[in-house]
């Protein structure tokens, strides 16, 4: 079913497929927004002696990843996976501190 093909809400109050599709798209939007916040925090953390900030960035990106998993699209999930991989790689190179 296409996003623009909407079904009527049944008189019994059941949720239609269009409403479920909209909520799944909202999960993707939330995931992208959380991923962008994590990415903005990760940019200064890439500088020397600020690598400890990835201990804050990675959990934020994991929350975004959870929202992205429940979404019908993949872009938010992929953004958060990239932020997590960069953060983990930076922590491994810096010994977990730098």
């Amino acid at each position: 079913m296409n996003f623009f093909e909407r079904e009527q809400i049944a008189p019994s109050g059941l949720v239609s497929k269009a409403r479920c599709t909209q909520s799944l798209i909202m999960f993707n939007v939330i995931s992208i927004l959380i991923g962008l916040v994590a990415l903005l925090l990760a940019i200064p953390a890439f500088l020397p002696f600020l690598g400890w900030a990835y201990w804050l960035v990675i959990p934020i990106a994991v929350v975004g990843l959870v929202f992205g998993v429940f979404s019908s699209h993949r872009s938010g999930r992929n953004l958060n996976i990239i932020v997590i991989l960069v953060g983990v790689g930076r922590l491994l190179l810096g010994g977990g501190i730098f």
Side-chain angles (χ1 to χ4, degrees):
M1 170 178 256
N2 191 350
F3 174 73
F4 297 106
E5 296 175 4
R6 296 180 183 249
E7 294 181 4
Q8 299 293 328
I9 297 178
S12 63
L14 296 175
V15 178
S16 69
K17 288 183 181 179
R19 181 163 287 180
C20 289
T21 304
Q22 286 176 339
S23 65
L24 291 177
I25 290 175
M26 281 305 288
F27 276 135
N28 191 47
V29 171
I30 292 170
S31 177
I32 289 173
L33 290 176
I34 293 173
L36 288 175
V37 168
L39 185 64
L40 288 175
L41 292 173
I43 291 172
F46 203 71
L47 296 173
F49 301 110
L50 293 177
W52 53 267
Y54 279 111
W55 289 107
L56 175 70
V57 170
I58 292 173
I60 293 172
V62 168
V63 171
L65 179 64
V66 169
F67 278 104
V69 167
F70 291 118
S71 172
S72 60
H73 297 285
R74 298 184 213 165
S75 56
R77 183 193 68 197
N78 292 345
L79 172 65
N80 286 297
I81 287 173
I82 290 171
V83 172
I84 291 169
L85 290 176
V86 168
V88 168
R90 176 67 168 86
L91 283 174
L92 286 173
L93 288 175
I97 299 172
F98 301 108

